[in-house]
Amino acid sequence: MRLPRTRPRSLAGQLFAMQVVLIAAVVAGCAVFAYVSGSAQAEETAARQVRVAALAVADSPSVREAIRTPDPSAVLQPYAERVREDTGIAFVTIMDTERVRWTHPDTSQIGDTFLGNTAKALRGQTFTETYTGTLGPSIRVVTPIRDNGRIVGLVSAGITVDRVSSQVREQLGALALAAGGALALGGIGTYVINARLRRHTHGMNAAELSRLHDYHQATLHAVREGLLMLDGRRRIALINDAGRELLGLAPDTEAVGRTVDELALPAPLTGALLASEPRVDELHLTADRVIVVNTRPVVGGEQRGTVVTLRDHTELQALTGELDSERGFTQALRSQAHEAANRLHTVVSLIELGRVEEAVDFATAELELAQVLTDRVVGAVEEPVLAALLLGKAAQANERGVELVLAEDSLIDDGALPPSLAQRDLVTILGNLIDNAVDAASEGPEDAEESGAVPAPRTAGGPAGRARVTVTALADERELLLRVADTGAGIGPEAADEVFRRGWSTHGAGRGLGLALVRQAAHRNGGTVELDAGPDGGARFTVRLPLGDRTAGSAAGARAKEVTA
């Protein structure tokens, strides 16, 4: 039977066990060190104590006078006992130079030979030694007694090793109590710290945390959505590769630790990232992209930061524009089919009435009118995408009562545009400009004023006939020029700087993205967009795109093509 696998101890548990062992080892080491140093210090203190006592006895004048008497023991024995009791040492032995004792704690030992070394003392030195005498092992000091420069006797004062050990044992008990208290305090502190660590790590062990970190890093690099995490001070705590790309940050730019204000992002996008309230599916423009921003604060008692997700909406917005154009083309074709059926019925009716010549003239006139613009566009613009776009937009404009005219100086030869210039960007630029121009021309000055637009001053001699949009498409060796002018109300100077801002529109909410996309596509290809008053009093937009190397294309154009396509 297979035993169930036990889950490894959590990281907090491992650290707790490690810290308890470490604290116990440190406390034990400190205790051993304190015991060893205490023992050495006790022995040193004992040696110093007996040395002071021995020197004091040897320097006492009463001792020298007693040595001169016939019976020194009668005077020296009581004196030596008083010194021993007063100093708390084990013995004070006074002897002659022949090592015969005059004093001893055990009076039966008086007159016997001193057990120990005296050679150094007889040479006039004071020395310390540990020796086993009649009282057992002891730490003793031997010093000479001088009388007029002559050594007349010796003094040995000592303390037994047992008494020193008993003192050390008393100190060791206090040391063990302190060590136990330190161990208990360290264990409690370690438990509190590791309990908090366990809450923060959710009880995971080191292997689980390492695996979670690896998955976290792999996910950040693999996910296509941009992820941005801001701390409570609006500094970047984390950003993935997609987030760097969507915000236009260079790969070598150190973003972590910087505030959002330092990234030089557009003001509306910076405001959305710094907002304290959640943002849901907000469209924002950078220099090259349309991104969808979602933010959510991280709240835990106080605002700890913000989680931001970024989605690339550039391609979807371009596809939406193309879909709108296709729908417009379909409606225009449906209307033209209806008109063609009416004209065909007219021709058939004329033939049935026997008016063949009038039927031929009517059909020929209609064919010439339909073919004029087609021949003009195909003859001047050999780029198939632009030609198809112009013909489709002409049909849409005609349905709205607006005449789409191709300027006489328009000319784009086949192969004039380099492969690096993305066709989708051309459709975005020219399609949005024509759509806005058709809207402005179909409304006219009066409708524009009623809708709240700010019209530009009308030029004298402006047309009073049919609404018209004039398109200029010209490519030379250096640049591609796309210019769209209308006969609408125009745009006043005070609004010239706002037309390219996302959301600016005279047609209500939900509009105002077309011109922003135009400027973005132009910027992506290294071009510029200009706005001025047209010759017919309306607005005129001029886009200039550098062509560069027509064979390989410029590096900026190649990057733009990769982004859009």
Side-chain angles (χ1 to χ4, degrees):
M1 183 178 67
R2 297 181 59 183
L3 296 175
R5 296 181 58 184
T6 59
R7 185 172 180 268
R9 186 186 296 272
S10 66
L11 178 62
Q14 294 178 7
L15 289 177
F16 177 74
M18 184 184 302
Q19 289 173 345
V20 168
V21 172
L22 181 61
I23 291 176
V26 170
V27 171
C30 291
V32 171
F33 174 76
Y35 173 74
V36 173
S37 61
S39 299
Q41 185 177 6
E43 292 179 359
E44 183 180 355
T45 302
R48 190 164 51 246
Q49 182 180 4
V50 296
R51 183 183 183 89
V52 170
L55 291 175
V57 171
D59 291 339
S60 176
S62 60
V63 172
R64 290 194 291 270
E65 291 178 1
I67 292 176
R68 299 190 193 104
T69 63
D71 186 11
S73 296
V75 178
L76 294 179
Q77 175 66 17
Y79 173 76
E81 288 301 304
R82 287 196 305 272
V83 172
R84 182 180 68 81
E85 293 175 356
D86 292 340
T87 57
I89 60 179
F91 64 89
V92 176
T93 300
I94 304 174
M95 69 197 83
D96 60 13
T97 56
E98 298 298 329
R99 301 170 58 187
V100 177
R101 300 187 186 99
W102 286 326
T103 65
H104 196 276
D106 183 4
T107 56
S108 62
Q109 300 291 333
I110 297 175
D112 292 341
T113 303
F114 172 75
L115 300 179
N117 300 313
T118 59
K120 293 182 179 180
L122 292 175
R123 292 196 298 268
Q125 299 178 9
T126 301
F127 67 94
T128 303
E129 67 174 354
T130 301
Y131 196 86
T132 303
T134 57
L135 300 180
S138 62
I139 300 173
R140 60 180 62 181
V141 173
V142 181
T143 186
I145 301 174
R146 300 176 186 272
D147 188 7
N148 296 325
R150 183 172 59 89
I151 298 175
V152 295
L154 303 175
V155 177
S156 176
I159 187 171
T160 60
V161 175
D162 291 340
R163 182 176 297 183
V164 175
S165 299
S166 64
Q167 295 176 355
V168 172
R169 283 193 294 271
E170 293 176 359
Q171 296 177 356
L172 183 60
L175 178 63
L177 184 61
L183 182 61
L185 183 61
I188 294 173
T190 301
Y191 177 79
V192 172
I193 294 175
N194 283 273
R196 184 175 181 182
L197 178 62
R198 187 179 295 106
R199 289 196 303 270
H200 287 310
T201 58
H202 302 285
M204 291 187 290
N205 56 46
E208 291 172 337
L209 288 174
S210 177
R211 184 165 57 251
L212 182 63
H213 175 269
D214 294 339
Y215 288 155
H216 174 267
Q217 292 297 321
T219 302
L220 285 180
H221 291 288
V223 69
R224 295 189 62 184
E225 284 193 351
L227 181 61
L228 189 68
M229 294 186 181
L230 308 177
D231 60 15
R233 300 174 61 183
R234 297 300 190 270
R235 295 177 303 185
I236 297 177
L238 183 145
I239 184 171
N240 65 346
D241 298 339
R244 287 179 174 272
E245 182 179 358
L246 293 177
L247 294 180
L249 302 179
D252 56 347
T253 301
E254 183 60 36
V256 176
R258 300 174 61 185
T259 61
V260 176
D261 297 334
E262 299 175 2
L263 300 182
L265 300 175
L269 178 57
T270 301
L273 297 180
L274 295 178
S276 57
E277 69 277 1
R279 299 294 181 95
V280 179
D281 291 341
E282 285 193 0
L283 279 179
H284 288 274
L285 298 178
T286 64
D288 299 325
R289 296 179 183 273
V290 180
I291 59 177
V292 179
V293 178
N294 286 273
T295 67
R296 181 169 295 276
V298 179
V299 180
E302 60 181 5
Q303 184 166 341
R304 299 181 179 177
T306 306
V307 176
V308 181
T309 59
L310 309 171
R311 295 199 310 272
D312 192 357
H313 204 259
T314 308
E315 185 173 354
L316 179 59
Q317 191 65 41
L319 291 176
T320 302
E322 293 180 7
L323 180 59
D324 292 339
S325 297
E326 294 295 336
R327 289 174 178 172
F329 294 158
T330 303
Q331 293 175 359
L333 290 175
R334 186 180 297 113
S335 299
Q336 288 183 347
H338 182 72
E339 290 297 322
N342 290 336
R343 292 163 186 166
L344 182 61
H345 286 311
T346 302
V347 172
V348 171
S349 298
L350 289 174
I351 294 176
E352 289 177 350
L353 293 174
R355 298 183 178 185
V356 177
E357 293 182 1
E358 295 179 4
V360 172
D361 292 338
F362 179 80
T364 303
E366 291 296 325
L367 180 61
E368 289 178 352
L369 289 175
Q371 193 65 29
V372 168
L373 180 61
T374 301
D375 293 341
R376 177 76 185 92
V377 171
V378 174
V381 181
E382 297 184 10
E383 180 65 30
V385 174
L386 292 181
L389 178 65
L390 289 172
L391 291 175
K393 293 298 181 181
Q396 287 181 300
N398 185 60
E399 291 300 321
R400 300 183 60 180
V402 178
E403 180 184 7
L404 181 65
V405 178
L406 185 64
E408 293 295 333
D409 57 346
S410 297
L411 179 62
I412 300 179
D413 295 330
D414 189 16
L417 303 183
S420 60
L421 187 57
Q423 295 179 347
R424 177 171 293 175
D425 287 343
L426 294 178
V427 172
T428 298
I429 294 172
L430 192 56
N432 281 288
L433 290 180
I434 293 177
D435 288 341
N436 288 345
V438 170
D439 288 341
S442 63
E443 289 180 353
E446 295 79 7
D447 296 337
E449 292 177 1
E450 292 177 0
S451 65
V454 182
R458 303 284 297 178
T459 57
R466 185 181 181 186
R468 183 171 65 252
V469 173
T470 303
V471 179
T472 303
L474 178 61
D476 56 16
E477 294 296 329
R478 295 177 302 173
E479 67 178 11
L480 169 65
L481 183 143
L482 299 176
R483 178 177 291 147
V484 179
D486 60 70
T487 59
I491 300 175
E494 60 275 11
D497 295 334
E498 295 293 323
V499 296
F500 298 104
R501 178 176 55 83
R502 182 187 69 83
W504 188 93
S505 176
T506 62
H507 299 86
R511 305 288 297 274
L513 191 60
L515 291 178
L517 292 176
V518 168
R519 184 173 66 173
Q520 189 182 79
H523 178 272
R524 188 160 51 237
N525 290 276
T528 60
V529 182
E530 300 175 359
L531 168 63
D532 59 0
D536 297 330
R540 180 174 65 179
F541 291 88
T542 303
V543 179
R544 301 178 186 273
L545 301 177
L547 297 182
D549 187 0
R550 297 186 180 184
T551 303
S554 64
R559 182 176 63 85
K561 184 176 181 181
E562 179 183 357
V563 170
T564 57

